Amino acid sequence: MHYFLRALKEAFKSWPLLIASFLCSAGVASLWGANIAALFPIIEVTLNGDSLQQWNTRRLEGANTRIESSHAEIKRLTQQLESPESTDDLKIQARTSIDALTLSMRGDEVVVYASHNLTPWLDRFIPTDPFQTILLVTGFVVVSTFLKHIFMLASALIVSWVAMNISRNIRLSVFNKALELDRSQFMQRGASGFMAQVTGTSDMLAGGLTSVFGGAVTEPLKIFACLAGAWCISWQLTLACLTMAPVVGFLMVWLNRRIRGVSQRILDRAMGFHHVLFESLGNILTVQAYTMEKFEKERFRTCTKNMMRTGMWHTFYYTLANPITEILGIGMVATSIVVGAWLVINHETQIFGITMTDRPMTVPGIMVFFGMLIGASDPVRKLSGVFTGINTGIVGAQALYPLLDTPSRLTESPNPKSLPSPHREIRLRNVSFSYDGIDTVLRDVDLVINFGERVAIVGPNGGGKSTLVNLICRFYDPTKGAVLLDGVLLTDLSLYDLRRRIAIVTQQTELFNETILHNIRYGRWDATVLEIEAAAQKAHAHEFITEFPDGYNTMVGPNGYRLSGGQRQRIALARAFLRDAEILVLDEATSQIDVESERLIHDALAMYVANRTVIMITHRASTLALADTIVNIDHGIVTKKAVNERSAA
Ligand code: ADP
């Protein structure tokens, strides 16, 4: 709930819009009540054939007559009270009757006052002909219904805008968070987890907010308008009709808990569902090559079955909310019909000794009362949907906000230091690193890489080569020790400043589903087409690119699937060359390139690597030939040798 309240607080930032929406909802509610109240003149005029003015005069005269007779009766009873002959019993009776008459007189005085005030309005606006009155009132109902729908539309649009805006902001924040977190924090949820948060969970929250500012305002206001109308006719009868409200309230609280639990399960299942979907489709080649289609289909079938089962529970509770609230609505109407009809048929004002009305109810009065309660029962029924929406929103908020509150482990200094370009040295000082806090991947590493040095990192698989590079690029921070650039801790530099100095090519080339031009330009966004072509030539990509009918404008497909592994690597190399960064990191960057092309790329690299620091993870002798220092990493232990030492050995 606490997180959902935060979302509501965010929504209150758009308070002018919410006020406008509230006013629209109030307009809807009052027109809703007014439409039902319009029943009264229609029934009165149709039943008696009188105009409203005549009805008002009759009401005024009736009230005046009752006041006069009450006065006379009170006078008589007062005399009886003062008479020494009266017994105590008689006196008590007289006192009770005086009290009742005084109360009834007050009511009649209100009627006189209201009728007096109403007279000029009726004279001015209401025709004296009964049929014309019906026409006028019917016209009012049509116009007010039209107006009501305009208000409803405006309110729905405003509320939807506010909710969608919050949901959009949350989507942006989730996306930003995904880009900010360090790699292991990101991988805890994975792309599928973030995808689920950005889509489904944000929608759940938006739905909850729409329920709060839409239904949770409009429907209670409608109920309030109708109950207020019914209250004016008979507050005692209105209270009698609400006797079931506490039971229904209790049931709703129970149901809300269940709905919240089921919504949470749906969310968990949706995460798993996204995960399986992403994995199977992302690794489709492996799935097909190892003929695991059946297994994956089964896995997905199980996920969707679980989701369906949870969805059915959701539907069950959601649908159960309908009858529960409807019981309240129908209970109100049934009570009012039974009690009201009994009072009208028997010309009574009391039932079981409890006063229900000051004077016997008229048929139009009880009809409008019924109308008011029917008018209140419809929004009561709709409230169940509102509750469900709010519960779903609460669950959505509970999933989203903790993620947004997760601080990135890659903290940035508020006052980052600036360093001249190019740097002089990269230093790892007593660095140890562990991904999980248990296995130490790098152990007490002391390493200096001077500017312009070409370092080849070698060693067995899993030795920690990529981890070392990841620490230099600050994808992670060391668990112990420090990484420094020119004596400044990487944590004291801005991430932007550090990364702009680095161009990296990894084994798993990441390409965007865009043109080749776009993919190379990603290295330096302001590069000209000529510069892009020059970079592609260095990476020996220009030849194959120009062979495509669309040349540089060829779309590469999702993750570059239309290109071969070697072509993808060459585009990634071109991107890195274009960046013209002072540190070039190549992680098995030419592993998929054919021997002849690789030789040509090495020639280009040999020229390119001058005047920059190059860190190459490689096993290839041809690449090693470019290096002037070799760093060996085995089980996290780092040893560094100059190439001439290596040759001597
Ligand atoms: P190399 O590049 O030398 O093959 P890595 O640096 O990639 O080795 O990995 C070193 C060790 O760290 C391996 O044992 C690997 O299992 C582990 N490792 C790598 N990445 C992660 C990660 N994100 N989370 C947990 N362990 C990891």
Side-chain angles (χ1 to χ4, degrees), residues 183-184 187 433-436 439-442 457-470 476 507 587 617 619 633 636:
R183 285 208 184 165
S184 57
M187 290 316 291
F433 182 77
S434 164
Y435 285 101
D436 51 11
D439 290 329
T440 307
V441 177
L442 292 177
I457 303 182
V458 296
N461 288 337
K465 302 182 292 294
S466 300
T467 306
L468 184 93
V469 163
N470 284 338
Y476 300 96
Q507 274 186 74
D587 185 351
I617 298 179
H619 290 106
I633 306 186

Short mmCIF file of all heavy atoms in Angstrom, two decimals, residues 183-184 187 433-436 439-442 457-470 476 507 587 617 619 633 636, ligand 1:
data_model
loop_
_atom_site.label_atom_id
_atom_site.label_comp_id
_atom_site.label_asym_id
_atom_site.label_seq_id
_atom_site.Cartn_x
_atom_site.Cartn_y
_atom_site.Cartn_z
N ARG A 183 26.38 -4.54 -14.13
CA ARG A 183 25.93 -5.70 -14.93
C ARG A 183 25.30 -6.79 -14.08
O ARG A 183 24.33 -7.40 -14.49
CB ARG A 183 27.10 -6.26 -15.71
CG ARG A 183 27.42 -5.38 -16.86
CD ARG A 183 28.02 -6.18 -17.95
NE ARG A 183 28.41 -5.28 -19.02
CZ ARG A 183 29.22 -5.62 -19.99
NH1 ARG A 183 29.73 -6.83 -20.02
NH2 ARG A 183 29.51 -4.77 -20.92
N SER A 184 25.86 -7.06 -12.89
CA SER A 184 25.27 -8.17 -12.13
C SER A 184 23.90 -7.78 -11.60
O SER A 184 23.00 -8.61 -11.53
CB SER A 184 26.20 -8.65 -11.03
OG SER A 184 26.51 -7.62 -10.17
N MET A 187 21.66 -8.30 -14.47
CA MET A 187 21.43 -9.70 -14.81
C MET A 187 20.54 -10.41 -13.80
O MET A 187 19.96 -11.43 -14.10
CB MET A 187 22.77 -10.44 -14.95
CG MET A 187 23.56 -10.05 -16.17
SD MET A 187 22.60 -9.90 -17.69
CE MET A 187 22.18 -11.60 -18.00
N PHE A 433 38.41 -9.26 -6.84
CA PHE A 433 37.02 -9.13 -7.28
C PHE A 433 36.29 -10.45 -7.17
O PHE A 433 36.84 -11.51 -7.48
CB PHE A 433 36.95 -8.63 -8.73
CG PHE A 433 35.55 -8.43 -9.20
CD1 PHE A 433 34.82 -7.31 -8.79
CD2 PHE A 433 34.92 -9.37 -10.01
CE1 PHE A 433 33.51 -7.14 -9.19
CE2 PHE A 433 33.61 -9.20 -10.42
CZ PHE A 433 32.90 -8.08 -10.01
N SER A 434 35.07 -10.35 -6.72
CA SER A 434 34.20 -11.53 -6.66
C SER A 434 32.81 -11.12 -7.14
O SER A 434 32.31 -10.05 -6.77
CB SER A 434 34.13 -12.03 -5.22
OG SER A 434 33.05 -12.90 -5.08
N TYR A 435 32.20 -11.96 -7.97
CA TYR A 435 30.85 -11.64 -8.46
C TYR A 435 29.80 -11.90 -7.39
O TYR A 435 28.85 -11.15 -7.25
CB TYR A 435 30.50 -12.49 -9.69
CG TYR A 435 31.19 -12.05 -10.95
CD1 TYR A 435 32.32 -12.72 -11.42
CD2 TYR A 435 30.72 -10.96 -11.66
CE1 TYR A 435 32.96 -12.32 -12.58
CE2 TYR A 435 31.35 -10.55 -12.83
CZ TYR A 435 32.47 -11.23 -13.28
OH TYR A 435 33.08 -10.82 -14.41
N ASP A 436 30.02 -13.00 -6.66
CA ASP A 436 28.97 -13.43 -5.74
C ASP A 436 29.37 -13.32 -4.27
O ASP A 436 28.61 -13.72 -3.39
CB ASP A 436 28.57 -14.88 -6.05
CG ASP A 436 29.79 -15.79 -6.11
OD1 ASP A 436 30.88 -15.34 -5.71
OD2 ASP A 436 29.66 -16.93 -6.57
N ASP A 439 33.22 -16.78 -4.52
CA ASP A 439 34.40 -17.13 -5.33
C ASP A 439 35.16 -15.88 -5.71
O ASP A 439 34.58 -14.94 -6.28
CB ASP A 439 33.97 -17.84 -6.62
CG ASP A 439 33.44 -19.23 -6.31
OD1 ASP A 439 33.92 -19.83 -5.32
OD2 ASP A 439 32.52 -19.67 -7.02
N THR A 440 36.46 -15.88 -5.41
CA THR A 440 37.27 -14.73 -5.79
C THR A 440 37.79 -14.95 -7.21
O THR A 440 38.51 -15.91 -7.46
CB THR A 440 38.44 -14.54 -4.81
OG1 THR A 440 37.88 -14.48 -3.51
CG2 THR A 440 39.21 -13.27 -5.07
N VAL A 441 37.40 -14.07 -8.13
CA VAL A 441 37.76 -14.24 -9.54
C VAL A 441 39.14 -13.61 -9.81
O VAL A 441 39.96 -14.17 -10.52
CB VAL A 441 36.68 -13.62 -10.45
CG1 VAL A 441 37.06 -13.71 -11.91
CG2 VAL A 441 35.34 -14.30 -10.22
N LEU A 442 39.38 -12.44 -9.21
CA LEU A 442 40.71 -11.80 -9.32
C LEU A 442 41.24 -11.62 -7.91
O LEU A 442 40.50 -11.24 -7.00
CB LEU A 442 40.60 -10.44 -10.01
CG LEU A 442 40.22 -10.44 -11.50
CD1 LEU A 442 40.09 -9.01 -12.00
CD2 LEU A 442 41.24 -11.19 -12.33
N ILE A 457 46.13 -9.89 -23.23
CA ILE A 457 45.78 -10.64 -22.02
C ILE A 457 45.51 -12.08 -22.44
O ILE A 457 44.68 -12.33 -23.32
CB ILE A 457 44.55 -10.02 -21.33
CG1 ILE A 457 44.83 -8.55 -21.00
CG2 ILE A 457 44.20 -10.78 -20.07
CD1 ILE A 457 43.73 -7.84 -20.26
N VAL A 458 46.23 -12.97 -21.84
CA VAL A 458 46.08 -14.38 -22.19
C VAL A 458 45.82 -15.19 -20.92
O VAL A 458 45.95 -14.68 -19.81
CB VAL A 458 47.34 -14.92 -22.91
CG1 VAL A 458 47.56 -14.24 -24.24
CG2 VAL A 458 48.58 -14.77 -22.02
N GLY A 459 45.46 -16.42 -21.13
CA GLY A 459 45.21 -17.29 -19.98
C GLY A 459 44.08 -18.24 -20.27
O GLY A 459 43.37 -18.08 -21.26
N PRO A 460 43.90 -19.23 -19.39
CA PRO A 460 42.85 -20.22 -19.65
C PRO A 460 41.45 -19.61 -19.52
O PRO A 460 41.29 -18.55 -18.91
CB PRO A 460 43.09 -21.27 -18.55
CG PRO A 460 43.81 -20.54 -17.48
CD PRO A 460 44.62 -19.47 -18.14
N ASN A 461 40.47 -20.32 -20.09
CA ASN A 461 39.08 -19.88 -19.97
C ASN A 461 38.68 -19.80 -18.51
O ASN A 461 39.07 -20.65 -17.71
CB ASN A 461 38.13 -20.89 -20.64
CG ASN A 461 38.25 -20.83 -22.14
OD1 ASN A 461 38.68 -19.83 -22.69
ND2 ASN A 461 37.90 -21.92 -22.79
N GLY A 462 37.94 -18.77 -18.20
CA GLY A 462 37.46 -18.62 -16.82
C GLY A 462 38.54 -18.10 -15.89
O GLY A 462 38.34 -18.01 -14.67
N GLY A 463 39.69 -17.73 -16.45
CA GLY A 463 40.80 -17.25 -15.62
C GLY A 463 40.54 -15.87 -15.04
O GLY A 463 41.08 -15.51 -14.00
N GLY A 464 39.71 -15.07 -15.71
CA GLY A 464 39.38 -13.73 -15.21
C GLY A 464 39.75 -12.61 -16.17
O GLY A 464 39.77 -11.44 -15.79
N LYS A 465 40.02 -12.96 -17.45
CA LYS A 465 40.47 -11.95 -18.42
C LYS A 465 39.38 -10.90 -18.66
O LYS A 465 39.62 -9.69 -18.56
CB LYS A 465 40.84 -12.63 -19.77
CG LYS A 465 41.92 -13.67 -19.64
CD LYS A 465 42.29 -14.27 -20.97
CE LYS A 465 41.20 -15.12 -21.58
NZ LYS A 465 40.88 -16.34 -20.84
N SER A 466 38.15 -11.38 -18.98
CA SER A 466 37.07 -10.43 -19.26
C SER A 466 36.74 -9.62 -18.02
O SER A 466 36.41 -8.43 -18.10
CB SER A 466 35.82 -11.16 -19.74
OG SER A 466 36.13 -11.86 -20.92
N THR A 467 36.86 -10.28 -16.86
CA THR A 467 36.55 -9.58 -15.61
C THR A 467 37.51 -8.39 -15.43
O THR A 467 37.08 -7.29 -15.06
CB THR A 467 36.68 -10.56 -14.43
OG1 THR A 467 35.86 -11.69 -14.71
CG2 THR A 467 36.26 -9.94 -13.13
N LEU A 468 38.78 -8.63 -15.73
CA LEU A 468 39.77 -7.56 -15.59
C LEU A 468 39.40 -6.36 -16.49
O LEU A 468 39.42 -5.20 -16.05
CB LEU A 468 41.16 -8.10 -15.96
CG LEU A 468 42.29 -7.11 -15.78
CD1 LEU A 468 42.90 -7.27 -14.40
CD2 LEU A 468 43.36 -7.27 -16.83
N VAL A 469 39.05 -6.69 -17.73
CA VAL A 469 38.68 -5.64 -18.68
C VAL A 469 37.42 -4.91 -18.19
O VAL A 469 37.31 -3.68 -18.27
CB VAL A 469 38.48 -6.27 -20.08
CG1 VAL A 469 37.72 -5.33 -20.98
CG2 VAL A 469 39.82 -6.63 -20.68
N ASN A 470 36.48 -5.70 -17.65
CA ASN A 470 35.24 -5.10 -17.14
C ASN A 470 35.50 -4.12 -16.01
O ASN A 470 34.81 -3.12 -15.86
CB ASN A 470 34.28 -6.19 -16.63
CG ASN A 470 33.60 -6.90 -17.79
OD1 ASN A 470 33.51 -6.36 -18.89
ND2 ASN A 470 33.13 -8.11 -17.55
N TYR A 476 31.97 -2.99 -13.47
CA TYR A 476 31.88 -3.37 -12.06
C TYR A 476 32.92 -2.56 -11.30
O TYR A 476 33.89 -2.09 -11.90
CB TYR A 476 32.24 -4.85 -11.86
CG TYR A 476 31.37 -5.82 -12.60
CD1 TYR A 476 31.74 -6.33 -13.84
CD2 TYR A 476 30.18 -6.26 -12.03
CE1 TYR A 476 30.94 -7.25 -14.50
CE2 TYR A 476 29.38 -7.19 -12.70
CZ TYR A 476 29.76 -7.67 -13.93
OH TYR A 476 28.98 -8.57 -14.58
N GLN A 507 33.42 -10.35 -27.98
CA GLN A 507 33.16 -11.54 -28.81
C GLN A 507 31.73 -11.58 -29.28
O GLN A 507 31.45 -11.89 -30.42
CB GLN A 507 33.39 -12.79 -27.95
CG GLN A 507 34.81 -13.22 -27.93
CD GLN A 507 34.89 -14.54 -27.18
OE1 GLN A 507 34.50 -15.56 -27.68
NE2 GLN A 507 35.42 -14.48 -25.97
N ASP A 587 38.16 -7.83 -27.11
CA ASP A 587 37.98 -9.10 -26.40
C ASP A 587 37.69 -10.18 -27.44
O ASP A 587 36.55 -10.34 -27.87
CB ASP A 587 36.81 -8.96 -25.40
CG ASP A 587 36.65 -10.19 -24.53
OD1 ASP A 587 37.31 -11.20 -24.80
OD2 ASP A 587 35.85 -10.14 -23.58
N ILE A 617 42.28 -9.17 -25.50
CA ILE A 617 42.18 -10.52 -24.95
C ILE A 617 42.27 -11.43 -26.16
O ILE A 617 41.47 -11.28 -27.11
CB ILE A 617 40.84 -10.73 -24.22
CG1 ILE A 617 40.74 -9.78 -23.02
CG2 ILE A 617 40.69 -12.18 -23.78
CD1 ILE A 617 39.46 -9.88 -22.24
N HIS A 619 43.90 -15.36 -27.99
CA HIS A 619 44.71 -16.58 -27.95
C HIS A 619 45.51 -16.70 -29.23
O HIS A 619 46.32 -17.58 -29.39
CB HIS A 619 43.79 -17.81 -27.82
CG HIS A 619 43.15 -17.88 -26.49
ND1 HIS A 619 41.83 -17.59 -26.28
CD2 HIS A 619 43.68 -18.17 -25.27
CE1 HIS A 619 41.56 -17.72 -24.99
NE2 HIS A 619 42.66 -18.06 -24.36
N ILE A 633 46.61 -14.32 -17.09
CA ILE A 633 45.71 -14.43 -15.93
C ILE A 633 45.29 -15.89 -15.79
O ILE A 633 44.70 -16.47 -16.71
CB ILE A 633 44.45 -13.56 -16.09
CG1 ILE A 633 44.84 -12.11 -16.38
CG2 ILE A 633 43.59 -13.62 -14.83
CD1 ILE A 633 43.69 -11.16 -16.42
N GLY A 636 42.76 -16.07 -11.47
CA GLY A 636 42.74 -14.77 -10.81
C GLY A 636 44.10 -14.21 -10.48
O GLY A 636 44.21 -13.10 -9.94
P1 ADP B 1 37.77 -15.36 -19.01
O1 ADP B 1 37.45 -14.08 -19.70
O2 ADP B 1 39.18 -15.44 -18.56
O3 ADP B 1 37.36 -16.58 -19.76
P2 ADP B 1 35.85 -14.38 -17.07
O4 ADP B 1 36.51 -13.17 -16.56
O5 ADP B 1 34.78 -14.21 -18.03
O6 ADP B 1 36.93 -15.40 -17.64
O7 ADP B 1 35.27 -15.19 -15.82
C1 ADP B 1 36.05 -15.48 -14.69
C2 ADP B 1 35.17 -16.25 -13.70
O8 ADP B 1 34.13 -15.45 -13.27
C3 ADP B 1 34.57 -17.51 -14.28
O9 ADP B 1 34.75 -18.53 -13.33
C4 ADP B 1 33.13 -17.19 -14.46
O10 ADP B 1 32.37 -18.31 -14.14
C5 ADP B 1 32.90 -16.11 -13.44
N1 ADP B 1 31.93 -15.10 -13.95
C6 ADP B 1 32.02 -14.38 -15.05
N2 ADP B 1 30.99 -13.52 -15.19
C7 ADP B 1 30.19 -13.72 -14.11
C8 ADP B 1 28.98 -13.14 -13.62
N3 ADP B 1 28.34 -12.15 -14.28
N4 ADP B 1 28.48 -13.60 -12.48
C9 ADP B 1 29.09 -14.57 -11.80
N5 ADP B 1 30.24 -15.14 -12.17
C10 ADP B 1 30.81 -14.75 -13.31
#
